[in-house]
Amino acid sequence: MTPKQKYLFDLRGYLHLENVLTPQELGNAQATIEQLVQASPEELPPGISRGGEGFSNGFSADKSLEALTLHPTTWPIIKELTWHKPRFNRGSLVVNTHERQEMTPLHCAREGFRWTRRYGVRNSQIFTNDIVCFFYFTDVYPGDGGLIVLPGSHKSEFERPENLFFPEPDNPDASLHPALVNVTPKAGDVVIITEMLTHGVLVWKPKDRDRRFLILRYKTQFFQDERGLRESFPPEVMDRLSPETKALAAHGSEWEIKDLVKQDNVTLTV
Ligand SMILES: O=C(O)CCC(=O)C(=O)O
Ligand SMILES: [Fe+2]
């Protein structure tokens, strides 16, 4: 990360990176997503299912999406934040429309005092073991709705008082509390958060446009949750992943550095 990115990520708990995707990367990803949206359930690639507002394992639909797990802009940041021990463990595609009328309440991995999720700094190096990259394929404008974050909350030591930020949870027109920020990425931008950051989602207001983005989640390679050391992806998804993506999704000990991590630029072998 540049010194400026490092300062801002530590201060706020997230980064909004503009124009990360080239026009070609963006165009290819958008075309893949449009195909998924138009597909009938039987036409979806094996291991991808449509549910709620998205496609589970949507990242594996096409190399144009899979390659984003190792994008040259985000890859060095993922390595740095995990102290060079990253593991990719989930990749869903979201198509958020005005039809979903309830907001996603504020939440974060810090709440409930979960020891397994961390954010900290030692020797000027930021460490966090729960990272989310949101790759955007459509534009978000102020007033549209979408992602809201509470900057700085990844370091908060207190429980968030209930109803502080949304005293009228059912009023979609209530003004946003001044401590909250509605992030408004444009197609081709990326938002990186530590899941320790308090965040939520406002109802999507435009009726003529949706919000399309990929959620790529990274942990440390030795992180264990309730799933233990099981594979993150079903066999039919694993089968079509490139060796580099499989290596990124592999568990590892706290001591080893994956060969993949030693590379600055990774191109998927197709
Ligand atoms: O819809 C969004 O922008 C955020 C979804 C979310 O909270 C998450 O993926 O952790
Ligand atoms: Fe979340």
Side-chain angles (χ1 to χ4, degrees), residues 104 107 132 134 136 146-147 195 199-201 211 213 215 217:
T104 301
H107 63 281
V132 194
F134 300 108
Y136 273 76
L147 180 66
E195 184 75 26
H199 60 287
V201 188
R211 186 172 67 111
F213 63 102
I215 306 178
R217 292 180 186 275

Side-chain angles (χ1 to χ4, degrees), residues 17-39:
L17 306 172
E18 295 179 352
N19 296 313
V20 170
L21 301 186
T22 63
Q24 193 180 0
E25 285 172 329
L26 177 60
N28 290 344
Q30 285 170 329
T32 297
I33 296 164
E34 186 56 31
Q35 268 180 19
L36 286 175
V37 169
Q38 302 294 339

Side-chain angles (χ1 to χ4, degrees), residues 55-216:
F55 299 85
S56 63
N57 298 312
F59 80 98
S60 69
D62 184 77
K63 296 296 166 189
S64 61
L65 299 182
E66 185 183 330
L68 303 181
T69 62
L70 287 156
H71 191 277
T73 301
T74 49
W75 179 226
I77 299 176
I78 302 299
K79 288 198 281 188
E80 189 172 333
L81 291 174
T82 57
W83 287 10
H84 292 84
K85 310 282 163 62
R87 184 169 80 88
F88 166 59
N89 80 321
R90 228 156 98 196
S92 330
L93 179 70
V94 178
V95 178
N96 174 203
T97 71
H98 74 279
E99 278 159 36
R100 179 162 185 257
Q101 277 305 310
E102 74 271 28
M103 70 168 286
T104 301
L106 292 172
H107 63 281
C108 71
R110 192 172 28 78
E111 290 176 0
F113 212 37
R114 290 159 79 179
W115 288 108
T116 52
R117 315 296 167 107
R118 298 197 60 153
Y119 177 91
V121 179
R122 287 290 179 282
N123 304 321
S124 306
Q125 295 298 314
I126 300 173
F127 173 82
T128 185
N129 61 2
D130 198 345
I131 302 165
V132 194
C133 290
F134 300 108
F135 280 79
Y136 273 76
F137 309 106
T138 51
D139 294 342
V140 180
Y141 295 95
D144 283 353
L147 180 66
I148 47 171
V149 298
L150 182 57
S153 55
H154 60 306
K155 299 192 204 181
S156 176
E157 298 286 348
F158 292 91
E159 288 291 317
R160 178 165 43 83
E162 221 178 314
N163 303 329
L164 170 64
F165 295 107
F166 289 94
E168 304 171 78
D170 297 327
N171 177 6
D173 298 316
S175 59
L176 203 59
H177 188 283
L180 291 168
V181 170
N182 179 204
V183 188
T184 55
K186 302 294 171 289
D189 290 3
V190 175
V191 178
I192 303 183
I193 69 167
T194 164
E195 184 75 26
M196 303 290 279
L197 179 77
T198 298
H199 60 287
V201 188
L202 297 176
V203 169
W204 184 252
K205 289 192 174 169
K207 294 197 168 77
D208 57 336
R209 292 179 284 124
D210 51 24
R211 186 172 67 111
R212 299 183 178 191
F213 63 102
L214 195 59
I215 306 178
L216 302 180

